[in-house]
């Protein structure tokens, strides 16, 4: 048997692709992974997804999962271990089981890089965040710390000044890696202070972040800095290990797309953060998922696989 479409990944892009493909009678197989739901499972209140004034990230993903289940979509709670895109129909392996498919929608997302602090992941959603655009408005009137020296850290810091009382950037060098224009904006902003040559060694708090431990890299001196939020902005890693050498990826590992969601292989589409290093928003990922399902249907029609 050859599947009409296999969708890999269960963040907003994968679920939206599944909703569209199911409603289009494509009978998709959604391989949603052992841990489903994507990055929103690690966030607290989501206040920028239309129709929900405020909803917890895991609740939003559960609602998407319920919607897909209700449509009768076949779901596999396992991880893809290997793909072979060299022969058509394509082969997707889950352990020893091979699935053949005419089209593939890749929605495997990206992972925010974390610092690896002892208490960091425990406090995600309780003051530790990997997404300023998502969580910034929850930090109104608070002192926050941003870690990183690239454009993400600059952009996040500037955005956070709209809400936070103060923003301190902690960077491990004595110069930023970010583009000059972003650096200038940051350095000119009176609400932002930079703590150079320093690293965060832990984050403190029981149910909410109350501060961080800082270490000066030159002197080795440590101190505590009080804050109500820690934003980690040290980059993302797209989940594309499975596709290396089989699809065109950019230098940061994101899948390169053209005509919105088409990849370098016909019939393979990429949707969401796995190909979008710019917006990284749930609502945008959902949009890419929609586009990929519609493009899939059009291709299957063109190939005469469906009427
Ligand atoms: P980058 O890889 O550019 O920067 C990551 C930053 O985090 C670096 O300064 C790095 O330090 C620091 N870092 C990495 N690991 C650690 C760690 N373990 N501890 C402390 N610091 C760490 O990632 P970005 O997300 O900032 O940007 C990714 C890409 O997206 C870039 O090409 C960027 O230009 C682009 N972008 C563009 C934007 C725009 O144009 N508006 C906005 C956001 C991103 P070090 O400097 O020492 O390497």
């Amino acid at each position: 048997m050859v599947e009409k479409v296999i969708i890999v990944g269960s963040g907003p892009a994968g679920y939206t692709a599944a909703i569209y493909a199911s409603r289009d009678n494509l009978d998709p197989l959604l391989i949603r992974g052992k841990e489903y739901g994507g990055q929103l499972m690690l966030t607290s209140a989501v206040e920028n997804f239309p129709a929900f004034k405020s909803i917890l990230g895991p609740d939003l993903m559960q609602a998407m999962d319920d919607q897909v289940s209700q449509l009768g979509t076949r779901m596999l709670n396992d991880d893809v271990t290997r793909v072979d895109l060299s022969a058509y129909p394509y082969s997707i392996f889950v352990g020893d089981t091979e699935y053949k498919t005419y089209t593939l929608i890749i929605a495997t997302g990206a992972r925010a890089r974390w610092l690896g602090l002892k208490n960091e992941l425990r406090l995600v959603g309780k003051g530790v965040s990997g997404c300023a655009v998502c969580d910034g408005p929850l930090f109104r009137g608070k002192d926050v710390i941003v870690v990183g020296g690239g454009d993400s850290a600059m952009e996040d810091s500037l955005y956070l000044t709209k809400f936070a009382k103060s923003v301190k950037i902690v960077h491990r060098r004595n110069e930023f890696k970010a583009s000059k224009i972003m650096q200038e904006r940051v350095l000119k902003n009176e609400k932002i202070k930079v703590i150079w040559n320093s690293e965060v060694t832990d984050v403190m708090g029981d149910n909410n972040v109350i501060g961080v431990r800082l270490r000066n890299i030159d002197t080795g001196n440590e101190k505590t800095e009080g804050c109500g939020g820690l934003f980690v902005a040290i980059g993302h890693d797209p989940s594309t290990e499975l596709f290396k050498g089989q699809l065109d990826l950019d230098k940061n590992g994101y899948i390169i797309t053209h005509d919105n969601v088409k990849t370098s292989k016909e019939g393979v589409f990429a949707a969401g953060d796995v190909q979008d290093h710019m917006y990284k928003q749930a609502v945008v990922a959902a949009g890419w998922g929609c586009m990929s399902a519609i493009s899939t249907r059009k291709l299957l029609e063109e190939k005469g696989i469906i009427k």
Side-chain angles (χ1 to χ4, degrees):
M1 175 194 172
V2 181
E3 298 285 348
K4 289 195 271 291
V5 52
I6 288 182
I7 301 164
V8 185
S10 58
Y15 278 131
T16 306
I19 291 167
Y20 272 78
S22 297
R23 295 187 76 249
D24 255 348
N25 291 334
L26 300 183
D27 189 24
L29 174 65
L30 172 64
I31 305 181
R32 63 176 196 175
K34 285 183 182 144
E35 287 177 25
Y36 71 96
Q39 294 184 82
L40 277 183
M41 300 303 273
L42 287 177
T43 56
S44 51
V46 176
E47 298 182 341
N48 53 11
F49 200 89
F52 297 99
K53 277 189 214 139
S54 181
I55 182 167
L56 293 175
D59 290 350
L60 180 59
M61 297 323 296
Q62 188 59 54
M64 290 189 200
D65 193 76
D66 291 346
Q67 188 175 0
V68 171
S69 299
Q70 204 205 339
L71 287 165
T73 311
R74 291 173 299 138
M75 290 200 256
L76 200 60
N77 301 334
D78 217 332
D79 293 329
V80 172
T81 46
R82 186 162 72 85
V83 302
D84 182 356
L85 307 179
S86 63
Y88 193 77
Y90 301 125
S91 293
I92 312 298
F93 293 87
V94 176
D96 291 335
T97 311
E98 179 181 9
Y99 297 86
K100 290 219 171 265
T101 187
Y102 292 118
T103 64
L104 173 66
I105 295 176
I106 301 169
T108 46
R111 285 181 293 264
R113 283 186 205 141
W114 297 105
L115 291 164
L117 311 174
K118 188 164 158 242
N119 288 297
E120 188 178 26
L121 294 182
R122 180 178 65 78
L123 288 166
V124 167
K126 297 173 181 165
V128 173
S129 171
C131 179
V133 175
C134 319
D135 298 332
L138 307 173
F139 289 79
R140 227 170 268 276
K142 296 195 174 165
D143 298 309
V144 300
I145 285 183
V146 175
V147 182
D151 281 325
S152 294
M154 304 299 111
E155 199 168 70
D156 287 2
S157 303
L158 291 164
Y159 181 70
L160 288 166
T161 59
K162 295 181 198 300
F163 314 99
K165 188 161 83 185
S166 75
V167 177
K168 292 195 176 94
I169 302 177
V170 175
H171 185 40
R172 62 186 179 183
R173 297 181 196 274
N174 61 3
E175 61 181 359
F176 287 136
K177 176 183 180 185
S179 54
K180 288 285 171 253
I181 185 159
M182 296 292 275
Q183 294 195 31
E184 277 166 21
R185 280 185 206 153
V186 160
L187 296 172
K188 264 197 331 222
N189 193 305
E190 287 176 357
K191 259 191 171 181
I192 304 177
K193 193 181 148 202
V194 185
I195 304 177
W196 300 104
N197 294 322
S198 295
E199 60 183 0
V200 174
T201 55
D202 206 358
V203 52
M204 286 124 46
D206 290 330
N207 289 315
N208 292 300
V209 168
I210 55 166
V212 294
R213 287 289 292 165
L214 292 183
R215 192 176 77 92
N216 182 295
I217 289 169
D218 293 336
T219 63
N221 288 344
E222 289 217 13
K223 65 169 183 171
T224 299
E225 183 83 32
C227 67
L230 173 66
F231 286 84
V232 180
I234 60 172
H236 284 76
D237 292 313
S239 303
T240 50
E241 296 78 10
L242 289 169
F243 311 104
K244 277 186 189 145
Q246 308 207 52
L247 293 176
D248 290 350
L249 308 180
D250 73 11
K251 67 178 181 2
N252 295 314
Y254 288 86
I255 295 177
I256 296 173
T257 47
H258 63 96
D259 297 325
N260 299 317
V261 287
K262 293 182 181 166
T263 70
S264 51
K265 282 256 151 72
E266 189 187 43
V268 180
F269 302 91
D273 289 10
V274 75
Q275 51 89 47
D276 167 20
H277 48 80
M278 180 139 183
Y279 298 103
K280 299 191 185 87
Q281 298 301 301
V283 67
V284 178
W288 291 115
C290 160
M291 288 187 255
S292 65
I294 292 174
S295 298
T296 297
R297 175 174 49 75
K298 287 194 170 147
L299 184 76
L300 289 169
E301 282 168 358
E302 277 164 29
K303 284 182 168 294
I305 294 166
I306 59 167
K307 289 211 176 80

